[in-house]
Amino acid sequence: MIKITEKKNCCGCTACESICAHSAITMQPDALGFLYPIADATKCVECGLCEKVCQFHSNYKRYDNYNEPTVYALRLKDGEQLMRSQSGGAFWGIARHFIDNGGVVYGAAFTETWRVTHQKASNTDELEKLRMSKYVQSDMRGAFKQVKDDLRQGLTVLFSGTACQVAGLKAYIPAKMHSNLLCIDIICHGVPSPRVWEDYIAYLEKRYKSKIVKACFRDKRYGWHGAKETFRFENGKEITKRTSNRLYFSGISMRESCANCKFTNLKRVGDITVGDFWGIPKDSPYEKDKKGLSLAMINSDKGKEWFNKVKEQYIVEESNTADCLQPQLQYPSKMSPLHSNFAKDYANNGFLFIAKKYGDMGWRYHMRKTINRTKMLIYKIIWALHIKEKPKGV
Ligand SMILES: Cc1cc2nc3c(=O)[nH]c(=O)nc-3n(C[C@H](O)[C@H](O)[C@H](O)COP(=O)(O)OP(=O)(O)OC[C@H]3O[C@@H](n4cnc5c(N)ncnc54)[C@H](O)[C@@H]3O)c2cc1C
Ligand code: SF4
Ligand code: SF4
Ligand code: SF4
């Protein structure tokens, strides 16, 4: 029977909950809204399946995946679709092909109340909801069983998610049913707290006295590299913020297992891995126009077969593992040393308190910002004077 003694050892993929035929496991949220399995000993028959299915360890199953992926930099040729994708649109081209050929696609989408859950798309309207990165851990409850039902019915299924979600799904689905399942794993920095996100939404709606009708974590209109969140309200107002991304990228609001991630390497679990192609030379046209470039790694024969079917939709450039080796393919992200204080403060005092203390809402943040700006200005003045005073030819 599964028992989580240390949070860092569970990524919340739901494979154990899904496989238990006795409904002995339920996924329950902690104070930050991250889900963990809780087993009911009175229902458990000690079959051991939940422990066996768990892939959050260094020897996770890789089936027939290649030891080293084939690497491409790519971008959708269709400029409009490119701008509607988070990076170069690697996901859209493949997913659209599935839908057009009668398949179904799973991925992370917002609910009507702006929670992030894994949802199924059977048509292009539903597929639209899966686009763009949501920097919140997606709630997977029910998704694995739904994928299995679809495969049983003979549907072709594309599942997209973080590597830990893909590893959990592939272990849960019996190997004999894998032939109609293609998995895309996304390169992953870590996932932030669902409850902080929900409280943030509630705070914004109260503050601006209107319901949010559109939310975006990394709005491409402000450049592909930017981390500006944008929100549009029912009353027509639109705002840009950084609060959520600031808490996320500083490693404060991240799930504990992300700092202990087993998948930050080139031994990928998906058939295809997609991410942002960071590290493009500054003079490259892809870097200059700031419209995004995808990294795509082909990790299996199945991935290669599907990629060949959609390749025409992209501008494709061959690359290699050395050129695409960003930190998230080498080691896990660091958890902020402030994380446990943050979690306690959040549990005791709520969203606004932590947004002021750790985020960009309070006087502390503005004071730090002013000090840093002043320091930078002084540094620039000293540097300029130094250059001026330098004798010619030195
Ligand atoms: C939490 C998170 C962290 C990331 N960290 C990195 C990183 O460190 N380095 C890097 O190169 N790329 C990272 N990415 C991936 C990158 O930002 C793009 O999502 C990816 O390149 C796909 O972009 P696209 O243009 O192909 O398609 P899009 O259409 O924009 O991509 C959407 C895809 O992302 C999936 N997705 C979105 N939100 C989530 C979520 N919360 N959980 C699971 N799946 C989700 C959807 O299911 C879909 O498959 C991260 C994405 C997320 C969600
Ligand atoms: S050991 Fe078997 S019955 Fe018990 S919780 Fe795990 S899967 Fe369920
Ligand atoms: S990592 Fe997944 S399978 Fe393992 S205990 Fe956590 S939820 Fe269960
Ligand atoms: S960093 Fe690792 S453990 Fe965390 S969500 Fe991403 S793949 Fe899963």
Side-chain angles (χ1 to χ4, degrees):
M1 185 174 80
I2 210 111
K3 193 165 185 222
I4 307 301
T5 47
E6 282 186 281
K7 283 184 172 178
K8 68 173 187 180
N9 292 328
C10 171
C11 65
C13 72
T14 73
C16 53
E17 181 208 31
S18 310
I19 208 157
C20 181
H22 300 273
S23 305
I25 300 178
T26 49
M27 299 296 295
Q28 291 181 20
D30 69 359
L32 290 169
F34 291 119
L35 297 171
Y36 292 89
I38 306 289
D40 177 348
T42 61
K43 290 184 179 168
C44 172
V45 298
E46 299 288 347
C47 68
L49 281 179
C50 51
E51 281 159 6
K52 208 170 148 204
V53 79
C54 182
Q55 296 300 303
F56 200 68
H57 51 71
S58 306
N59 293 321
Y60 55 87
K61 290 187 205 159
R62 295 193 60 246
Y63 311 88
D64 293 328
N65 277 16
Y66 307 149
N67 278 333
E68 183 138 327
T70 316
V71 184
Y72 297 100
L74 53 88
R75 164 184 275 196
L76 279 172
K77 287 178 185 165
D78 182 331
E80 196 198 322
Q81 297 300 347
L82 172 66
M83 289 310 285
R84 290 153 74 99
S85 302
Q86 191 68 72
S87 72
F91 169 71
W92 176 254
I94 304 165
R96 182 71 204 266
H97 186 81
F98 260 75
I99 297 288
D100 289 349
N101 288 282
V104 293
V105 180
Y106 284 79
F110 288 120
T111 65
E112 280 182 1
T113 54
W114 300 104
R115 287 181 60 241
V116 177
T117 63
H118 251 64
Q119 297 176 27
K120 170 175 160 179
S122 310
N123 56 49
T124 41
D125 284 347
E126 288 168 352
L127 190 60
E128 285 289 337
K129 293 173 71 182
L130 272 45
R131 305 178 87 169
M132 303 299 279
S133 298
K134 286 99 187 166
Y135 292 136
V136 177
Q137 183 163 38
S138 173
D139 184 340
M140 304 289 295
R141 284 176 289 186
F144 284 9
K145 284 186 179 167
Q146 222 184 337
V147 170
K148 195 172 179 183
D149 286 348
D150 286 345
L151 290 168
R152 264 207 200 105
Q153 284 174 33
L155 288 171
T156 319
V157 178
L158 168 61
F159 179 89
S160 65
T162 59
C164 61
Q165 291 168 340
V166 169
L169 176 78
K170 283 177 94 168
Y172 164 71
I173 301 287
K176 60 176 191 265
M177 292 171 83
H178 279 200
S179 55
N180 277 350
L181 172 69
L182 183 84
C183 290
I184 292 185
D185 69 84
I186 55 166
I187 300 177
C188 178
H189 178 89
V191 282
S193 153
R195 198 159 278 167
V196 169
W197 168 248
E198 285 159 34
D199 283 353
Y200 182 35
I201 291 285
Y203 162 80
L204 291 173
E205 291 190 337
K206 197 171 165 202
R207 159 119 200 252
Y208 293 95
K209 297 187 182 68
S210 183
K211 287 273 167 215
I212 289 172
V213 291
K214 194 169 189 293
C216 181
F217 286 85
R218 238 175 79 200
D219 197 322
K220 243 182 170 179
R221 287 175 302 171
Y222 298 94
W224 177 45
H225 290 261
K228 272 197 184 164
E229 307 148 11
T230 52
F231 298 92
R232 194 183 308 145
F233 294 85
E234 214 166 41
N235 62 14
K237 190 171 179 61
E238 187 162 327
I239 57 166
T240 50
K241 290 263 176 202
R242 287 181 193 270
T243 310
S244 178
N245 287 340
R246 180 164 285 279
L247 293 172
Y248 171 35
F249 290 114
S250 59
I252 288 182
S253 62
M254 199 169 72
R255 189 177 175 110
E256 290 185 27
S257 58
C258 298
N260 182 32
C261 182
K262 312 297 176 191
F263 306 97
T264 48
N265 56 52
L266 293 172
K267 305 252 176 280
R268 308 309 303 166
V269 281
D271 299 291
I272 300 175
T273 298
V274 303
D276 302 318
F277 204 113
W278 298 129
I280 324 164
K282 283 222 162 11
D283 55 352
S284 154
Y286 301 119
E287 183 62 14
K288 277 188 184 155
D289 69 10
K290 297 188 177 14
K291 289 183 180 170
L293 189 67
S294 282
L295 163 64
M297 296 181 179
I298 311 302
N299 309 313
S300 70
D301 287 344
K302 205 199 289 178
K304 188 173 169 186
E305 192 189 313
W306 280 97
F307 182 61
N308 284 338
K309 290 183 191 174
V310 298
K311 222 169 155 180
E312 285 302 304
Q313 297 182 47
Y314 304 100
I315 303 164
V316 181
E317 287 189 15
E318 278 191 33
S319 184
N320 55 64
T321 47
D323 284 352
C324 73
L325 214 54
Q326 55 168 292
Q328 279 67 36
L329 292 171
Q330 300 178 68
Y331 42 80
S333 296
K334 277 205 170 61
M335 181 67 92
S336 161
L338 300 175
H339 173 78
S340 50
N341 284 346
F342 164 83
K344 272 186 220 141
D345 278 341
Y346 177 64
N348 294 333
N349 305 300
F351 172 75
L352 205 52
F353 184 87
I354 56 106
K356 285 182 177 168
K357 186 167 173 185
Y358 303 93
D360 62 354
M361 285 192 188
W363 60 267
R364 281 188 186 86
Y365 167 76
H366 292 291
M367 195 170 80
R368 269 197 313 268
K369 206 167 147 188
T370 313
I371 291 172
N372 286 341
R373 276 197 182 149
T374 316
K375 268 191 199 161
M376 192 55 77
L377 190 69
I378 295 171
Y379 176 78
K380 276 184 182 161
I381 294 170
I382 293 174
W383 183 246
L385 289 174
H386 172 75
I387 299 277
K388 222 174 162 185
E389 281 166 13
K390 238 180 184 180
K392 270 191 185 145
V394 176

